[in-house]
Structure formats: structure tokens, C-alpha cells
Amino acid sequence: MTDAAPQRSDALKNREAILEVAHDAFAESPGVSLNSIAKRAGVGAGTLYRHFPTREALILEVYRLDVDRLVGSVPEVLAAHAPLDALRRWFTTLAAYVRLKHGLGDALNTAAAQEVVSTTAVAVTAAVGRLLDACEQAGAVRPGLDPTDVIMLLSCLWRTPDNPEGAAQADRLMELAIDGFRP
């Protein structure tokens, strides 16, 4: 889309409305129909399909937008919380999002999706690096932790069940990992 002409403001407004509705709709039910998303966004099906010609295109754009928001939240989380607490909170949010992503089924596992997934993985790794740097500067974690290793270790958080027992287990797992990160 880099060569595409700039969109009119009403087209951009429609696109943003579709993405916001799609985000919520996919969270509620990964199998939601595109027609129901269009209706909830207040646009016609043709408008939705002009912006997102396939279900996969819409899912990938929602995914990319959500990861961009999560990565962009690092400065605010660090400003509002001590670095180690910021790391905890950010990974809890990441785990909740990845649970949703897994609920979207095969759409994020296609060949077409791999470029988006790879690009967002780089951004997530950089965000984790920033959080770890802040923790290291505060003396909360030992020096030299590799962001990729931390992501791999904490990937267990998004494998816990999406219920109160799973949340409690995720908290315990987070604390076990953090104990291993300490100096």
C-alpha cells in the first residue's frame, strides 16, 4: 500500500471504525462474520471489502495495529510503574493479547501472515529489550538478559487457561521467572 494515493478523510474514518469494531468483534468471537463487523462499524459490506478484501487481510491489520499499540505502550507503562512492575504488567497484557491471537485460528499461520508476524516479533523483542534495560538500570534484574530468551521463557503465560485459575497460575509463573531474572 505504499504506492496508494492518500485516502480521503471519510475513507480513513471508515477504515478506523472497521478496525476498532473488528478488534472487539474478534475478541468476542473469532468466527464473527465480516458482514456483522461492517454493520456494527456503520459501513456497508462493500466499504469493508474495499479496505480489507479478505478476512485474513482484516485479521492481519487488526493484529498489526494491536501489536503496534502494545509496543507503543512501553513508555507509558514505564512512566507509571517501577521497571519490574512495568515488565510484569506489560507481559500480562501481551499474554492476554496472544491468547486472543491464538483464538483467531489459522489466519495468523498462513504464508501471507508470516511477514506481518515476523515484523511484529522484531518490534515486540525491541519493546522487551527496553523494559529489561529499565529493570537492569534499576538493579531489579541481572545484567545481560536476552529479550528473545525472556520472551521464550514467558511464553508460558499465554498458554495458561483464560479463567481465574489460569490467571493465578500465570502470576505464579511470572514470579518464578522474575526470581530467575534477579541479580
Side-chain angles (χ1 to χ4, degrees):
M1 284 195 155
T2 56
D3 295 332
Q7 292 185 327
R8 298 184 332 249
S9 64
D10 60 331
L12 288 173
K13 183 178 163 187
N14 288 342
R15 185 177 194 282
E16 290 171 6
I18 292 165
L19 288 170
E20 287 303 316
V21 167
H23 172 271
D24 295 343
F26 289 139
E28 294 163 11
S29 173
V32 65
S33 77
L34 295 186
N35 287 337
S36 69
I37 290 172
K39 185 176 181 179
R40 284 172 59 180
V43 301
T47 298
L48 183 142
Y49 285 105
R50 270 192 301 282
H51 289 282
F52 306 101
T54 65
R55 177 181 194 79
E56 179 184 44
L58 179 58
I59 290 171
L60 290 174
E61 188 58 17
V62 168
Y63 172 78
R64 188 198 58 74
L65 185 62
D66 284 350
V67 171
D68 287 350
R69 287 177 183 160
L70 181 62
V71 167
S73 74
V74 169
E76 293 87 35
V77 174
L78 282 170
H81 305 284
L84 197 54
D85 193 34
L87 179 76
R88 281 184 184 97
R89 289 171 182 271
W90 194 87
F91 259 102
T92 299
T93 303
L94 175 65
Y97 179 68
V98 173
R99 273 191 216 100
L100 167 65
K101 179 188 88 123
H102 284 292
L104 295 177
D106 295 330
L108 293 176
N109 296 317
T110 64
Q114 291 311 300
E115 182 179 337
V116 173
V117 171
S118 294
T119 300
T120 57
V122 169
V124 168
T125 302
V128 171
R130 185 167 180 187
L131 288 160
L132 289 173
D133 288 346
C135 288
E136 186 177 324
Q137 289 174 8
V141 301
R142 59 190 157 108
L145 292 174
D146 183 297
T148 306
D149 292 345
V150 171
I151 292 168
M152 181 65 77
L153 181 63
L154 290 177
S155 70
C156 64
L157 298 178
W158 48 84
R159 290 176 171 75
T160 60
D162 192 15
N163 58 36
E165 294 81 17
Q169 183 180 35
D171 288 344
R172 290 190 308 273
L173 291 167
M174 173 77 79
E175 292 312 311
L176 283 171
I178 286 175
D179 284 347
F181 300 161
R182 294 189 192 277

